[in-house]
Amino acid sequence: QVQLMESGGDSVQAGGSLRLTCQVSGYTHNNDCLGWFRQAPGKERALVANVYWNGGARYYIESVKGRFDLAPDNTRGTLTLQMNNLKPEDTGIYYCAARPRTSKCVEAAGSEAFQYWGQGTQVIVSS
């Protein structure tokens, strides 16, 4: 079992920054895939970025490349998502998710591929 708890969501103006933190606990492994998803109003939950729990290459969706930075820290049990130059289209509920002991990570994936989820944290970006 893996437990995930997100924090850091807030309301900001376009161009601003936020740092989301996912506290990861439970029975984790280096080859767990950890990711952030977001659900915009009226839309399905979609992947933003993912990475193996022990670090290495990251996958980002095209619209956040160069603006978002994903940082796993398995010694502290945190997965942070630094979000810079935020845009109104970044608005949504952000969820931390885990896909245990997998060879499939650092690539696009749907929410159905991830087994464990946090409760989400809301991000609102106003223009």
Side-chain angles (χ1 to χ4, degrees), residues 4-7 20-24 34 36 77-80 96-97:
L4 306 169
M5 182 178 295
E6 306 94 336
S7 62
L20 305 184
T21 299
C22 177
Q23 197 69 44
V24 183
L34 279 292
W36 284 94
T78 60
L79 178 72
T80 60
C96 181

Side-chain angles (χ1 to χ4, degrees), residues 49-60:
N50 61 27
V51 66
Y52 276 111
W53 190 216
N54 66 345
R58 278 77 157 150
Y59 171 83
Y60 299 95

Side-chain angles (χ1 to χ4, degrees), residues 3-37:
Q3 292 83 43
L4 306 169
M5 182 178 295
E6 306 94 336
S7 62
D10 205 344
S11 294
V12 296
Q13 295 279 333
S17 297
L18 283 175
R19 174 173 290 187
L20 305 184
T21 299
C22 177
Q23 197 69 44
V24 183
S25 60
Y27 196 46
T28 59
H29 304 85
N30 284 337
N31 61 340
D32 292 343
C33 185
L34 279 292
W36 284 94
F37 286 73

Side-chain angles (χ1 to χ4, degrees), residues 93-104:
I93 301 173
Y94 282 70
Y95 296 91
C96 181
R99 184 177 186 179
R101 306 187 79 172
T102 181
S103 60
K104 295 184 178 295

Side-chain angles (χ1 to χ4, degrees), residues 26-102:
Y27 196 46
T28 59
H29 304 85
N30 284 337
N31 61 340
D32 292 343
C33 185
L34 279 292
W36 284 94
F37 286 73
R38 69 185 174 198
Q39 188 163 14
K43 295 188 177 181
E44 293 187 355
R45 197 174 298 187
L47 179 67
V48 174
N50 61 27
V51 66
Y52 276 111
W53 190 216
N54 66 345
R58 278 77 157 150
Y59 171 83
Y60 299 95
I61 59 172
E62 195 63 35
S63 63
V64 308
K65 283 182 181 178
R67 300 190 296 123
F68 288 14
D69 182 58
L70 185 62
D73 186 338
N74 59 6
T75 61
R76 295 186 178 182
T78 60
L79 178 72
T80 60
L81 183 68
Q82 177 67 40
M83 306 188 295
N84 300 320
N85 189 22
L86 282 160
K87 302 178 180 181
E89 52 263 41
D90 295 318
T91 293
I93 301 173
Y94 282 70
Y95 296 91
C96 181
R99 184 177 186 179
R101 306 187 79 172
T102 181

